[in-house]
Amino acid sequence: MTHHDLGIQSLIMHMFFRTLLHVLFLSRRKPELGHFEVARTNFITLPTDLDINRHMNNGVYFSIMDVARFDMLVRNGVWAMMREKGWYPVVASETITFRKSLQLWDRFTIESRLVGHDDKAVYMEQRYVRPGADGEPEIYAQGFIRARFLKKAGGTVPMSEIVEALGVSGADEIPDWMEQWGTDVALPPTRAAAPSVWH
């Protein structure tokens, strides 16, 4: 096994235990949230988060966003509902825009919020924030996630079942650009042909 392989394996295990820390301990000690409330999850930039430029690696941003989403799902009750029904979430598409770098030992917060859904997926917004010069939260990076729910028994959970299980309504209005983005970046279904042809 090469040093590169060992580094990747170490990062995976690091994120696994980071997720367990929040899901099993920290999230359960925080106040419960409504489905559309903003979840705020605190982190610190660790040595294992850095790249060769000594700031947080761009790929790590997505991994830590995963941890923050689990925190949100535990606190708003969706995690318990999914376990009861045998469902699990998967990311279909995600994008991020960077504004400022995070350095070693920087403390930061990820703000996570459910935006809404279309007929196939749910959409979330997540922001990396730190206190600005005026003490107010300042955005360092902003990401958007399009996710679907699958059944452990097989198949996709219809959006109608998700809406009914969550007891929410009026969440099917998302910004036009977000719906267009979800359509534009979508790949063919898993059973459809998806040849890699460069133009």
mmCIF file of all heavy atoms in Angstrom, residues 94-121:
data_model
loop_
_atom_site.group_PDB
_atom_site.id
_atom_site.type_symbol
_atom_site.label_atom_id
_atom_site.label_comp_id
_atom_site.label_asym_id
_atom_site.label_seq_id
_atom_site.Cartn_x
_atom_site.Cartn_y
_atom_site.Cartn_z
ATOM 1 N N GLU A 94 -24.084 17.845 -6.167
ATOM 2 C CA GLU A 94 -23.678 18.878 -5.220
ATOM 3 C C GLU A 94 -22.693 19.817 -5.880
ATOM 4 O O GLU A 94 -21.936 19.437 -6.784
ATOM 5 C CB GLU A 94 -23.084 18.278 -3.940
ATOM 6 C CG GLU A 94 -21.917 17.353 -4.132
ATOM 7 C CD GLU A 94 -21.500 16.682 -2.826
ATOM 8 O OE1 GLU A 94 -21.857 17.173 -1.737
ATOM 9 O OE2 GLU A 94 -20.815 15.646 -2.899
ATOM 10 N N THR A 95 -22.725 21.054 -5.430
ATOM 11 C CA THR A 95 -21.815 22.070 -5.967
ATOM 12 C C THR A 95 -21.407 22.994 -4.833
ATOM 13 O O THR A 95 -22.132 23.137 -3.839
ATOM 14 C CB THR A 95 -22.505 22.877 -7.098
ATOM 15 O OG1 THR A 95 -21.571 23.794 -7.667
ATOM 16 C CG2 THR A 95 -23.703 23.661 -6.580
ATOM 17 N N ILE A 96 -20.246 23.595 -4.967
ATOM 18 C CA ILE A 96 -19.763 24.482 -3.914
ATOM 19 C C ILE A 96 -19.009 25.650 -4.536
ATOM 20 O O ILE A 96 -18.388 25.509 -5.596
ATOM 21 C CB ILE A 96 -18.850 23.713 -2.920
ATOM 22 C CG1 ILE A 96 -18.566 24.551 -1.671
ATOM 23 C CG2 ILE A 96 -17.556 23.278 -3.583
ATOM 24 C CD1 ILE A 96 -17.924 23.762 -0.546
ATOM 25 N N THR A 97 -19.095 26.797 -3.880
ATOM 26 C CA THR A 97 -18.359 27.987 -4.279
ATOM 27 C C THR A 97 -17.519 28.448 -3.094
ATOM 28 O O THR A 97 -18.029 28.553 -1.971
ATOM 29 C CB THR A 97 -19.309 29.119 -4.714
ATOM 30 O OG1 THR A 97 -20.115 28.651 -5.796
ATOM 31 C CG2 THR A 97 -18.531 30.342 -5.171
ATOM 32 N N PHE A 98 -16.230 28.707 -3.346
ATOM 33 C CA PHE A 98 -15.316 29.092 -2.284
ATOM 34 C C PHE A 98 -15.086 30.603 -2.299
ATOM 35 O O PHE A 98 -14.962 31.209 -3.360
ATOM 36 C CB PHE A 98 -13.968 28.378 -2.453
ATOM 37 C CG PHE A 98 -14.090 26.876 -2.440
ATOM 38 C CD1 PHE A 98 -14.084 26.162 -3.625
ATOM 39 C CD2 PHE A 98 -14.224 26.183 -1.251
ATOM 40 C CE1 PHE A 98 -14.193 24.781 -3.632
ATOM 41 C CE2 PHE A 98 -14.343 24.810 -1.234
ATOM 42 C CZ PHE A 98 -14.326 24.102 -2.434
ATOM 43 N N ARG A 99 -15.008 31.177 -1.113
ATOM 44 C CA ARG A 99 -14.774 32.621 -0.986
ATOM 45 C C ARG A 99 -13.505 32.918 -0.206
ATOM 46 O O ARG A 99 -12.701 33.750 -0.607
ATOM 47 C CB ARG A 99 -15.977 33.273 -0.297
ATOM 48 C CG ARG A 99 -15.852 34.763 -0.111
ATOM 49 C CD ARG A 99 -17.142 35.384 0.423
ATOM 50 N NE ARG A 99 -16.924 36.787 0.752
ATOM 51 C CZ ARG A 99 -16.557 37.210 1.946
ATOM 52 N NH1 ARG A 99 -16.374 36.356 2.951
ATOM 53 N NH2 ARG A 99 -16.359 38.497 2.163
ATOM 54 N N LYS A 100 -13.335 32.257 0.944
ATOM 55 C CA LYS A 100 -12.140 32.422 1.768
ATOM 56 C C LYS A 100 -11.655 31.041 2.216
ATOM 57 O O LYS A 100 -12.444 30.105 2.328
ATOM 58 C CB LYS A 100 -12.428 33.286 3.006
ATOM 59 C CG LYS A 100 -12.577 34.772 2.724
ATOM 60 C CD LYS A 100 -12.660 35.548 4.044
ATOM 61 C CE LYS A 100 -12.679 37.051 3.803
ATOM 62 N NZ LYS A 100 -12.708 37.812 5.082
ATOM 63 N N SER A 101 -10.354 30.945 2.482
ATOM 64 C CA SER A 101 -9.772 29.668 2.906
ATOM 65 C C SER A 101 -9.914 29.477 4.413
ATOM 66 O O SER A 101 -9.954 30.441 5.182
ATOM 67 C CB SER A 101 -8.288 29.607 2.526
ATOM 68 O OG SER A 101 -8.116 29.635 1.140
ATOM 69 N N LEU A 102 -9.933 28.216 4.815
ATOM 70 C CA LEU A 102 -9.892 27.849 6.225
ATOM 71 C C LEU A 102 -8.506 27.318 6.533
ATOM 72 O O LEU A 102 -7.998 26.431 5.844
ATOM 73 C CB LEU A 102 -10.951 26.786 6.545
ATOM 74 C CG LEU A 102 -12.396 27.286 6.530
ATOM 75 C CD1 LEU A 102 -13.374 26.113 6.576
ATOM 76 C CD2 LEU A 102 -12.646 28.229 7.712
ATOM 77 N N GLN A 103 -7.881 27.873 7.586
ATOM 78 C CA GLN A 103 -6.520 27.516 7.955
ATOM 79 C C GLN A 103 -6.528 26.560 9.152
ATOM 80 O O GLN A 103 -7.552 26.364 9.811
ATOM 81 C CB GLN A 103 -5.720 28.780 8.300
ATOM 82 C CG GLN A 103 -5.817 29.897 7.266
ATOM 83 C CD GLN A 103 -5.229 29.526 5.925
ATOM 84 O OE1 GLN A 103 -4.308 28.715 5.844
ATOM 85 N NE2 GLN A 103 -5.748 30.117 4.843
ATOM 86 N N LEU A 104 -5.364 25.988 9.423
ATOM 87 C CA LEU A 104 -5.227 25.045 10.530
ATOM 88 C C LEU A 104 -5.705 25.656 11.845
ATOM 89 O O LEU A 104 -5.359 26.786 12.170
ATOM 90 C CB LEU A 104 -3.762 24.618 10.657
ATOM 91 C CG LEU A 104 -3.445 23.598 11.753
ATOM 92 C CD1 LEU A 104 -4.171 22.280 11.499
ATOM 93 C CD2 LEU A 104 -1.936 23.380 11.844
ATOM 94 N N TRP A 105 -6.535 24.896 12.559
ATOM 95 C CA TRP A 105 -7.104 25.233 13.863
ATOM 96 C C TRP A 105 -8.175 26.318 13.795
ATOM 97 O O TRP A 105 -8.656 26.772 14.826
ATOM 98 C CB TRP A 105 -6.030 25.628 14.892
ATOM 99 C CG TRP A 105 -4.925 24.620 15.044
ATOM 100 C CD1 TRP A 105 -3.592 24.846 14.923
ATOM 101 C CD2 TRP A 105 -5.047 23.217 15.332
ATOM 102 N NE1 TRP A 105 -2.868 23.693 15.109
ATOM 103 C CE2 TRP A 105 -3.742 22.676 15.371
ATOM 104 C CE3 TRP A 105 -6.128 22.366 15.564
ATOM 105 C CZ2 TRP A 105 -3.480 21.335 15.622
ATOM 106 C CZ3 TRP A 105 -5.874 21.017 15.804
ATOM 107 C CH2 TRP A 105 -4.573 20.514 15.840
ATOM 108 N N ASP A 106 -8.551 26.757 12.598
ATOM 109 C CA ASP A 106 -9.671 27.700 12.493
ATOM 110 C C ASP A 106 -10.950 27.023 12.990
ATOM 111 O O ASP A 106 -11.266 25.894 12.593
ATOM 112 C CB ASP A 106 -9.896 28.137 11.037
ATOM 113 C CG ASP A 106 -9.000 29.275 10.616
ATOM 114 O OD1 ASP A 106 -8.334 29.858 11.485
ATOM 115 O OD2 ASP A 106 -8.976 29.585 9.398
ATOM 116 N N ARG A 107 -11.684 27.726 13.834
ATOM 117 C CA ARG A 107 -13.005 27.255 14.244
ATOM 118 C C ARG A 107 -14.038 27.812 13.270
ATOM 119 O O ARG A 107 -13.969 28.983 12.907
ATOM 120 C CB ARG A 107 -13.322 27.692 15.672
ATOM 121 C CG ARG A 107 -12.398 27.059 16.702
ATOM 122 C CD ARG A 107 -12.763 27.463 18.120
ATOM 123 N NE ARG A 107 -11.867 26.853 19.088
ATOM 124 C CZ ARG A 107 -12.037 25.628 19.596
ATOM 125 N NH1 ARG A 107 -13.107 24.912 19.241
ATOM 126 N NH2 ARG A 107 -11.169 25.127 20.455
ATOM 127 N N PHE A 108 -14.969 26.976 12.854
ATOM 128 C CA PHE A 108 -15.979 27.407 11.896
ATOM 129 C C PHE A 108 -17.286 26.680 12.160
ATOM 130 O O PHE A 108 -17.334 25.675 12.881
ATOM 131 C CB PHE A 108 -15.508 27.169 10.454
ATOM 132 C CG PHE A 108 -15.247 25.721 10.118
ATOM 133 C CD1 PHE A 108 -16.244 24.924 9.565
ATOM 134 C CD2 PHE A 108 -14.000 25.162 10.345
ATOM 135 C CE1 PHE A 108 -16.007 23.592 9.246
ATOM 136 C CE2 PHE A 108 -13.743 23.834 10.028
ATOM 137 C CZ PHE A 108 -14.751 23.048 9.479
ATOM 138 N N THR A 109 -18.338 27.215 11.580
ATOM 139 C CA THR A 109 -19.674 26.634 11.717
ATOM 140 C C THR A 109 -20.225 26.339 10.331
ATOM 141 O O THR A 109 -20.029 27.119 9.400
ATOM 142 C CB THR A 109 -20.618 27.611 12.440
ATOM 143 O OG1 THR A 109 -20.112 27.856 13.760
ATOM 144 C CG2 THR A 109 -22.034 27.044 12.538
ATOM 145 N N ILE A 110 -20.894 25.209 10.192
ATOM 146 C CA ILE A 110 -21.638 24.931 8.966
ATOM 147 C C ILE A 110 -23.117 25.141 9.265
ATOM 148 O O ILE A 110 -23.678 24.525 10.181
ATOM 149 C CB ILE A 110 -21.407 23.502 8.444
ATOM 150 C CG1 ILE A 110 -19.945 23.321 8.028
ATOM 151 C CG2 ILE A 110 -22.324 23.214 7.256
ATOM 152 C CD1 ILE A 110 -19.641 21.979 7.404
ATOM 153 N N GLU A 111 -23.733 26.026 8.500
ATOM 154 C CA GLU A 111 -25.160 26.276 8.605
ATOM 155 C C GLU A 111 -25.858 25.457 7.513
ATOM 156 O O GLU A 111 -25.529 25.589 6.332
ATOM 157 C CB GLU A 111 -25.465 27.759 8.427
ATOM 158 C CG GLU A 111 -24.809 28.634 9.481
ATOM 159 C CD GLU A 111 -25.047 30.120 9.250
ATOM 160 O OE1 GLU A 111 -25.334 30.508 8.098
ATOM 161 O OE2 GLU A 111 -24.941 30.886 10.219
ATOM 162 N N SER A 112 -26.792 24.614 7.910
ATOM 163 C CA SER A 112 -27.480 23.724 6.965
ATOM 164 C C SER A 112 -28.974 23.997 7.000
ATOM 165 O O SER A 112 -29.568 24.145 8.081
ATOM 166 C CB SER A 112 -27.225 22.252 7.321
ATOM 167 O OG SER A 112 -25.839 21.974 7.430
ATOM 168 N N ARG A 113 -29.576 24.052 5.811
ATOM 169 C CA ARG A 113 -31.016 24.335 5.741
ATOM 170 C C ARG A 113 -31.651 23.588 4.571
ATOM 171 O O ARG A 113 -31.084 23.535 3.471
ATOM 172 C CB ARG A 113 -31.245 25.836 5.558
ATOM 173 C CG ARG A 113 -32.717 26.245 5.503
ATOM 174 C CD ARG A 113 -32.844 27.754 5.399
ATOM 175 N NE ARG A 113 -32.385 28.259 4.110
ATOM 176 C CZ ARG A 113 -33.200 28.496 3.069
ATOM 177 N NH1 ARG A 113 -34.509 28.280 3.193
ATOM 178 N NH2 ARG A 113 -32.727 28.973 1.934
ATOM 179 N N LEU A 114 -32.812 23.012 4.836
ATOM 180 C CA LEU A 114 -33.600 22.392 3.777
ATOM 181 C C LEU A 114 -34.292 23.493 2.985
ATOM 182 O O LEU A 114 -34.990 24.336 3.549
ATOM 183 C CB LEU A 114 -34.644 21.448 4.376
ATOM 184 C CG LEU A 114 -35.624 20.789 3.395
ATOM 185 C CD1 LEU A 114 -34.897 19.852 2.449
ATOM 186 C CD2 LEU A 114 -36.712 20.039 4.160
ATOM 187 N N VAL A 115 -34.083 23.501 1.669
ATOM 188 C CA VAL A 115 -34.689 24.522 0.814
ATOM 189 C C VAL A 115 -36.067 24.092 0.338
ATOM 190 O O VAL A 115 -37.027 24.855 0.388
ATOM 191 C CB VAL A 115 -33.787 24.808 -0.404
ATOM 192 C CG1 VAL A 115 -34.446 25.833 -1.325
ATOM 193 C CG2 VAL A 115 -32.425 25.315 0.057
ATOM 194 N N GLY A 116 -36.181 22.847 -0.120
ATOM 195 C CA GLY A 116 -37.462 22.348 -0.629
ATOM 196 C C GLY A 116 -37.238 21.110 -1.471
ATOM 197 O O GLY A 116 -36.201 20.448 -1.373
ATOM 198 N N HIS A 117 -38.190 20.808 -2.329
ATOM 199 C CA HIS A 117 -38.072 19.603 -3.140
ATOM 200 C C HIS A 117 -38.773 19.782 -4.479
ATOM 201 O O HIS A 117 -39.641 20.653 -4.644
ATOM 202 C CB HIS A 117 -38.662 18.394 -2.398
ATOM 203 C CG HIS A 117 -40.157 18.477 -2.201
ATOM 204 N ND1 HIS A 117 -41.060 18.051 -3.157
ATOM 205 C CD2 HIS A 117 -40.904 18.929 -1.173
ATOM 206 C CE1 HIS A 117 -42.292 18.245 -2.725
ATOM 207 N NE2 HIS A 117 -42.229 18.783 -1.516
ATOM 208 N N ASP A 118 -38.393 18.944 -5.439
ATOM 209 C CA ASP A 118 -39.149 18.834 -6.685
ATOM 210 C C ASP A 118 -39.805 17.452 -6.678
ATOM 211 O O ASP A 118 -39.999 16.871 -5.601
ATOM 212 C CB ASP A 118 -38.258 19.071 -7.913
ATOM 213 C CG ASP A 118 -37.078 18.112 -8.000
ATOM 214 O OD1 ASP A 118 -37.117 17.048 -7.339
ATOM 215 O OD2 ASP A 118 -36.124 18.404 -8.731
ATOM 216 N N ASP A 119 -40.144 16.908 -7.830
ATOM 217 C CA ASP A 119 -40.838 15.632 -7.839
ATOM 218 C C ASP A 119 -39.911 14.435 -7.656
ATOM 219 O O ASP A 119 -40.391 13.293 -7.548
ATOM 220 C CB ASP A 119 -41.638 15.467 -9.138
ATOM 221 C CG ASP A 119 -40.753 15.543 -10.370
ATOM 222 O OD1 ASP A 119 -39.635 16.079 -10.277
ATOM 223 O OD2 ASP A 119 -41.183 15.063 -11.438
ATOM 224 N N LYS A 120 -38.582 14.673 -7.590
ATOM 225 C CA LYS A 120 -37.645 13.561 -7.475
ATOM 226 C C LYS A 120 -36.660 13.678 -6.317
ATOM 227 O O LYS A 120 -36.155 12.667 -5.837
ATOM 228 C CB LYS A 120 -36.839 13.423 -8.783
ATOM 229 C CG LYS A 120 -37.667 13.000 -9.982
ATOM 230 C CD LYS A 120 -36.780 12.843 -11.206
ATOM 231 C CE LYS A 120 -37.584 12.391 -12.424
ATOM 232 N NZ LYS A 120 -36.721 12.251 -13.629
ATOM 233 N N ALA A 121 -36.356 14.891 -5.901
ATOM 234 C CA ALA A 121 -35.272 15.065 -4.933
ATOM 235 C C ALA A 121 -35.538 16.223 -3.987
ATOM 236 O O ALA A 121 -36.401 17.076 -4.238
ATOM 237 C CB ALA A 121 -33.950 15.295 -5.677
#
